[in-house]
Amino acid sequence: FDGASLNLFIKELAAALNDGRLPEPESYTYFDYVLDEKKFEQSPEFEENRKYFADMLSGFERASEITADISGRKVEKEGRVGSVSSPFDLKAASDFCKTQATTPAALFLAASFYAVSRYVNDNHIYLAAISNGRSDVKTAETYGMFVNTLPLGIEIKDETAEEFLKRSADVFDGAIRHEKYPFARIASDYGFEPNIMYGYQIGVVEEEGGLKLEPLKLEMPKFKLEIMIEERNGEACVTVNYNNALYSEELMQNLARSIVIAAEGMIAAPEKNIRDLSLLVGEQLAILDSFNNTEHPYDATQTIVSLFRKAASENAERTAVIFKDIKLTYQELDDITERIAGYIANKGLGVGDVVSILIPRDEYMPIASIGALKAGCAYQPLDPTYPPERLNFMIKDSNAKLLITTEELRPLITDYNGDVLLLSEIASLPVSNAKLPEVKPENLFILLYTSGSTGTPKGVRLTHGNIVCFVNWYHRYYNLHPEDCIGQYASFGFDACMMDMYSPLTSGAALCIIPEEIRLDLTAINEYLEKNHVTHQFMTTQVCRQFAVNVENKTLKHLLSGGEKLISLDPPTAYTLYNGYGPTECTIFTTTYPVTENEENIPIGKPLDNLKLYVVDGDGHRVPVGAMGELWIAGPQVGDGYLNQPERTAEAFIDNPFNSDPNYNKVYKTGDIVRYR
């Protein structure tokens, strides 16, 4: 039997004990009810009820579900019920509802709809509610299980909070009026299994005739989470009961508080657009801002060229570049790049010009790149493995003034008729007296092309200032010294190649380039790293994971992963493994996370130095801790937009609405959905 049956039983029991009155026989039994339900299924009203729910749920792809946040914790598979509560002012809610001709139950349903929408990052919200199922007055004195699960679907639209509240009430009332269409059929029709249930229990009878009801506490959750509006210890509360194998207490407490904040916001400003309703109050905003306390001072007036010159002057005899059996000192690297820079300058090229570089994987990757940078030019790395049509598009799009390549690779470029410098000619380049320009932080450093969602390559513009901010973080975070050696694994056209090359060459450390022929041979890679005493190494995610799981290395201090989601693993103990994340538009990594234990879902970590991260909803408003949202990034690592694509640049790179500091005045919208935890 259900709760109403329990109330009926308590009344009859109290009457029998206190007054000697025995219960009357049922005039309408549950068996009668079942027969009537069978008849109803053959009626036109039954089809009308079905159509009502079909219309309500059109456009819904799935039931709303808050993503689990439990990770790396040993819990029983099925979980147990956890419970948290957040109090609210019931009188204020009731007084407001009188002015709106609605009920507190409808108000908190609307607040739950809105809060859940921000936690799941979806404006289409599908919850379940519980009805007592006794809309027919004949069932008022009948024992049985009449409780019905009702699907409630709503879309968050551009409308006032008052209008949204009315629509929420209409959704619930409509579901009640059509509840005779069984929920089991609805679930079968749409494949929707309710994950979140809403219930309003304030005013439920708890005492009758001296008999007091003590609610039975369930150990096993019926739903993944239940949002209950109830009284606890004489105080009105939003209570969230949840499966603790899926959700943390912190996340559920934030959700309960967010529902209260949403209701308070509707009460305070019913005329406000519901989509502008903030779920953040002082303490929540302070927590979010604390994640962005990332300031670390560095000299932002420097460029990669000035940092390299300084490293070369202080470490002239140290090894700068290693490739197989070839080793170049900083002095040798400085000399050969000066000759390339002079050659380029004598061609009349300088700041604002682009040099395309199409070469094999060898020691000339840093040589050609730094040579172009010293001349004030930006460079465009072209990977020989790219299809010819992509290579030709890139070099044409960049309006390159010079191509550095080899005799063997030159035929890949068919749509370029400009100057060409062959690698075979570099060794004989003379020392030049050409005056090289002063390179500034705002000057273009590199053009890196990403395919984008349309398949058309996008040229990402990164400046010296972007890269300098990153390498200063790398030096500090990984404690990089001239005695260290960084392995260069990333492809020349991949943004991580900049990390591999410029982190060591701006610090006096050595750069060790991994030959192409061993890049998929873990044993050969390990032997090469140990032979050259590599201490810091980046690898793309899948290769990195295999290396960390299967290979024992004796020289590494730090192993960095990035490019894809890192699947859980038992991390190595001889060195530290890091999970890195970052879009090319924001210069390689923007977050990193040291993996110290086996976690089911490995986080992407915290922001790098001098970066600020914002998790926002579809309307660009920051969301509470634990809510899903799009990641926005601000700081000196945010690039200079896309080459020749002003509309895409304006769409992805916007003014920062959360911070007026000039260092953070530009935000990149990643399109990636994340959450703080």
Side-chain angles (χ1 to χ4, degrees), residues 202 204 216 239 248 326 360 368 413 421 441 617:
I202 291 178
V204 175
L216 178 66
T239 296
S248 67
I326 298 171
I413 306 295
L421 174 62
D617 61 26

Side-chain angles (χ1 to χ4, degrees), residues 57 259 286 329 343 372 380 388 605 633:
L57 298 176
I259 294 170
T329 66
Y343 171 87
Q380 179 189 48
I633 302 170

